[in-house]
Each structure stands twice: as structure tokens, then as C-alpha cells.
Amino acid sequence: MRELTDSIGARAIGEFGVDVSTFHWDMTTMSLYGAYPADDQDEEYPRIRHGHPKDRRYDLKQIQTGLAVTGDGGVPLLSRVIDGGAAEIAQITGTMNSLRAMAGPKEFLLIADSKLISYSNVSALIKAGTDFIALAPASSIDGPGRHPPAGRAPQD
């Protein structure tokens, strides 16, 4: 299914001259009521399971979705349905690779939230020559009323 949806995005770029110099990527969770037993779910598709829901409803299972849109009008070119228990931070490299395949030889800027920031993600983006902008994780920011993360001394 990914190949089909990605090829539609790639064709839109060529057919309509969609500007791919900037992509915005974001994920969200959808909490679901019901049992959704693991043995009733098809293993070929993302699974409904417990994870880290943004609505803080840890009592509910979830599924996740990710969307990449262009910076020139928010044209959606890449969408993903993701396992409910998958770590958001682990989706960045695959997303970047899919966007690079769609954009072809064109360079682009990837804008995402703080889940982009990890050693492996930043290393992969740099190695691929993909520019990026992301918020710093709140846990890494010192400021008024904030304490430095454990193991770090305040800096003057």
C-alpha cells in the first residue's frame, strides 16, 4: 500500500510542479474504545495497541498516523498509518527516506516536532544531506523555572 500512495505523491510532484523544497511532518494518535485482541488483527498492517497517547488516555488502545505536507500550501504528499505502540522518534528516518524517493534529486528542508531529535535521526539526516528544523525537546532546555536534566550541571 505504501508503494501505491507514495507513487501518487511522486506523480503529483511531476504532474503539477508541486514545490518540494520544504516538508512539514507530524504524527498524532487516535485513541480507540474496544478490546482489539492481538490475535484478531492482521499482522501485515499496523496494530491497535497501547502506546504513549497524546491525549493521555493510557486506558485506551491506539493507532497512529503521520502526515507530510509541502510548505507551499500544505499539499499532503505522504501519509502513514503506524502501529499504536511504535515510538514516534523511530519514524523519522523512514519518513525522510520516503520523502527523498518522492522528491528525486531535489533537496528539501524537513520540519518536525521535537521527536525528530535523537542521535540516530540527526545522524541519518546529516548523512543523507537533508536539512531539518525541529523544536528542542523540553527536557533539554534550561530556563527560568526549569531544572537541568539529571546528570547535567547548570551552565553559566
Side-chain angles (χ1 to χ4, degrees):
M1 186 61 123
R2 281 188 180 188
E3 294 81 18
L4 176 63
T5 57
D6 289 0
S7 67
I8 292 169
R11 182 147 186 201
I13 293 167
E15 290 286 323
F16 302 108
V18 176
D19 178 11
V20 294
S21 60
T22 304
F23 284 107
H24 297 260
W25 168 255
D26 196 24
M27 285 181 57
T28 194
T29 59
M30 293 173 275
S31 294
L32 304 166
Y33 291 89
Y36 302 99
D39 56 349
D40 284 349
Q41 297 183 48
D42 191 330
E43 293 182 18
E44 294 185 35
Y45 296 96
R47 319 249 7 250
I48 297 169
R49 60 177 66 189
H50 287 100
H52 298 281
K54 295 179 182 187
D55 63 3
R56 299 190 191 333
R57 289 294 310 264
Y58 296 101
D59 58 318
L60 301 175
K61 291 183 179 179
Q62 67 181 20
I63 195 79
Q64 301 179 85
T65 184
L67 185 64
V69 299
T70 62
D72 73 334
V75 177
L77 289 180
L78 180 94
S79 64
R80 294 287 185 259
V81 177
I82 302 160
D83 189 283
E88 187 173 343
I89 203 164
Q91 307 308 310
I92 298 296
T93 302
T95 297
M96 184 257 316
N97 290 333
S98 294
L99 291 171
R100 290 191 66 76
M102 267 189 219
K106 299 174 184 170
E107 296 298 318
F108 60 86
L109 171 67
L110 179 60
I111 301 172
D113 64 17
S114 62
K115 301 301 187 295
L116 179 145
I117 304 299
S118 75
Y119 181 82
S120 60
N121 286 343
V122 170
S123 296
L125 289 160
I126 290 170
K127 183 177 180 182
T130 300
D131 294 330
F132 61 92
I133 296 175
L135 297 171
S139 62
S140 68
I141 300 172
D142 295 338
R146 292 212 34 105
H147 299 284
R152 280 187 45 202
Q155 305 212 352
D156 294 332

